[in-house]
Amino acid sequence: MRNFTEAAGAALMALTLAGSRLSAQSTLEQFSYDSLRLSGVQVDLGALGSTRLRGAVTGGLRVDYGYIAPNVRVLFGLSYFKANFSSQETQKFAAKIAQIVKDPDSNFTVDVGTISWSDLTGDVDLQYRIPQSRTVIAYLGLGAGVHVRHGDGQAIKGTFVQDALSDVTAALNGTVGAEFAVDRNFRLTLDGRVVWTSNLSTVSLRGGFMYRLPGRR
């Protein structure tokens, strides 16, 4: 009886492992490069916000490169913004400078003026489409990007501060949005986008216009 129980347990475990392998294999088989091809081009514009920056305008270009799995498409993008640091951030910077100034009377003031930060981003997103009707498609996206940033300002020009603000860094991003079909090939887009990096996180709301190549869905 004991041998039978052990054999049955071993068989059940083998079936479970086999089922898991088949399920994983089935999932992987859904991914394919066969449908990857230029499918659409999008331009967008919107507002960008951050706790470190004043409100800014951001614009971008996106290329839809087709489907890598059912309802999962690949998009490549470029975007850019330039914004001034918030008054709170410039005050923090001025306070740090004041700490290293040696003045027995302490009757000096520090004016750092305006400090700006520009950002050029290249990214790739995977978006999962959720059709709502014949003319409306919602989507959720995750992706990664590379940010090329440059700091500028009269007070920091040529200093180590400008060097610290001018760097190349990686980021993660998340997107939620929708497309609204105007006709067979033209779509209006609206999406919210969150970007996380080590020294700056932003939220943006963008509206756009997409042209889809004939025969692409």
Side-chain angles (χ1 to χ4, degrees):
M1 182 67 178
R2 182 179 177 183
N3 291 338
F4 174 78
T5 303
E6 291 176 350
L12 181 60
M13 183 177 293
L15 287 173
T16 301
L17 290 174
S20 299
R21 289 171 182 167
L22 288 173
S23 177
Q25 183 178 359
S26 177
T27 301
L28 290 174
E29 286 176 351
Q30 295 184 55
F31 287 83
S32 172
Y33 299 103
D34 295 341
S35 297
L36 290 179
R37 61 179 65 88
L38 180 62
S39 300
V41 179
Q42 172 185 327
V43 292
D44 56 45
L45 188 69
L48 179 141
S50 167
T51 57
R52 301 190 66 187
L53 304 173
R54 297 178 189 174
V57 174
T58 181
L61 172 69
R62 297 202 167 279
V63 174
D64 184 336
Y65 211 69
Y67 290 84
I68 196 169
N71 289 322
V72 180
R73 62 184 180 182
V74 179
L75 290 96
F76 299 96
L78 284 174
S79 60
Y80 176 83
F81 74 82
K82 183 176 182 179
N84 294 332
F85 275 94
S86 66
S87 58
Q88 184 178 4
E89 285 293 316
T90 53
Q91 287 170 8
K92 287 180 181 179
F93 179 50
K96 289 180 180 179
I97 293 177
Q99 290 175 0
I100 62 175
V101 175
K102 295 181 179 180
D103 183 359
D105 299 327
S106 296
N107 59 357
F108 64 91
T109 58
V110 177
D111 182 8
V112 299
T114 299
I115 300 175
S116 64
W117 217 358
S118 62
D119 183 303
L120 177 64
T121 304
D123 54 39
V124 56
D125 290 346
L126 296 180
Q127 289 186 352
Y128 181 74
R129 299 168 71 253
I130 311 170
Q132 304 296 304
S133 68
R134 293 183 62 184
T135 59
V136 180
I137 297 173
Y139 54 83
L140 298 172
L142 287 175
V146 176
H147 293 249
V148 181
R149 291 178 176 148
H150 178 70
D152 195 18
Q154 190 63 37
I156 67 170
K157 189 167 294 184
T159 69
F160 72 93
V161 177
Q162 184 176 38
D163 293 338
L165 292 177
S166 303
D167 64 356
V168 178
T169 186
L172 297 176
N173 58 68
T175 307
V176 57
E179 293 181 6
F180 306 88
V182 177
D183 64 16
R184 183 175 297 181
N185 301 112
F186 294 96
R187 310 272 177 90
L188 295 178
T189 63
L190 179 65
D191 64 41
R193 191 173 184 84
V194 180
V195 178
W196 301 274
T197 67
S198 59
N199 53 7
L200 179 69
S201 295
T202 62
V203 178
S204 61
L205 181 63
R206 312 184 190 196
F209 181 79
M210 174 180 280
Y211 173 74
R212 300 200 65 78
L213 275 64
R216 306 288 192 265
R217 65 187 180 94

